[in-house]
Amino acid sequence: RISDWSSDVCSSDLKNTETFDICYDILKRNEAIIIFPEANCETERKLRKLHKGAAKIAMMAEERSGFTLGVEMATVGITMQNMVSSGGRIFLEASEPFSLNPYFSRYKDNPNKALHDITNDVESDLRSYGNNPLLNLLRGKEKTVEAAKQDEIIASIDKLNDQIGSLDEVKEIKRGIDKSIKEAVGTTYAPTLS
């Protein structure tokens, strides 16, 4: 976890500095970094408090570059069908990437406020996923369906997905998504931090 520091007092923790340097190099190459701002994984179905590390990495990289990198952030809401055992479906809902340019002047005046604002905006975006009517309808319902019916329903959905996936238009979209993911993910880095 990258610990909090203010703009005038930099952390002396070498691991934080090394991690930031690696992140800066990745962003400078226009590659992507995946950060889980909740900083942990729990079995409860709710969004927990977000930490500002992702905003801090992005804005400090922009500051180091003279605010010329063009770093964008996107949120991804992850909902698991089965929180306590392996298997089951995972639902992902992603936002469009958003620019950090609107936060630059705030960051120059008050870095901590800007980081707080970015983190709050990310949290608001993630919370809006909880208002998705389809996800609300599905959430928790898997426990009320008999196991035999579940298997039948899943098989029907898998068959429908296969039919949809065989359409030329969908294959083209899939190729575009695959290409975008390969271009966006680039380098991955998972430091062991205390």
Side-chain angles (χ1 to χ4, degrees):
R1 177 175 187 270
I2 295 182
S3 60
D4 293 338
W5 65 82
S6 67
S7 61
D8 57 338
V9 181
C10 204
S11 170
S12 62
D13 184 354
L14 184 58
K15 286 184 181 180
N16 284 347
T17 303
E18 289 173 2
T19 299
F20 174 74
D21 288 342
I22 290 167
C23 291
Y24 175 72
D25 289 340
I26 291 168
L27 292 171
K28 190 169 67 174
R29 292 190 308 265
N30 199 30
E31 295 177 352
I33 300 171
I34 299 171
I35 298 175
F36 297 93
E38 289 179 317
N40 60 18
C41 183
E42 297 289 334
T43 58
E44 58 191 347
R45 290 185 189 268
K46 70 175 190 171
L47 182 64
R48 289 171 303 286
K49 179 178 176 7
L50 301 185
H51 298 272
K52 61 184 178 181
K56 185 180 295 182
I57 289 169
M59 291 304 282
M60 288 180 71
E62 283 289 0
E63 182 178 43
R64 184 185 276 188
S65 75
F67 298 95
T68 61
L69 282 181
V71 173
E72 293 182 323
M73 295 179 78
T75 61
V76 179
I78 304 172
T79 303
M80 292 181 267
Q81 180 183 30
N82 192 338
M83 300 284 289
V84 292
S85 63
S86 62
R89 305 221 185 268
I90 297 175
F91 303 98
L92 300 175
E93 188 167 355
S95 74
E96 290 293 322
F98 63 91
S99 171
L100 296 176
N101 290 2
Y103 302 96
F104 289 173
S105 62
R106 275 181 272 176
Y107 185 80
K108 291 172 186 174
D109 292 339
N110 186 340
N112 284 328
K113 170 131 180 47
L115 298 176
H116 181 77
D117 291 348
I118 294 168
T119 304
N120 282 345
D121 290 349
V122 166
E123 185 172 332
S124 292
D125 195 46
L126 287 169
R127 288 197 185 285
S128 73
Y129 298 153
N131 297 328
N132 180 311
L134 179 58
L135 285 179
N136 284 337
L137 209 78
L138 296 173
R139 226 175 247 118
K141 296 298 182 193
E142 70 275 5
K143 296 174 187 162
T144 63
V145 177
E146 297 173 29
K149 284 282 191 193
Q150 266 187 352
D151 293 339
E152 183 182 324
I153 292 168
I154 290 170
S156 296
I157 292 170
D158 287 341
K159 182 178 177 186
L160 179 60
N161 280 336
D162 290 341
Q163 290 171 340
I164 292 169
S166 69
L167 297 172
D168 289 336
E169 297 87 348
V170 175
K171 287 179 183 177
E172 182 64 29
I173 292 169
K174 182 187 180 309
R175 284 191 289 274
I177 291 170
D178 289 345
K179 182 181 177 208
S180 295
I181 290 172
K182 286 177 186 172
E183 289 172 358
V185 172
T187 303
T188 58
Y189 175 71
T192 304
L193 302 175
S194 56

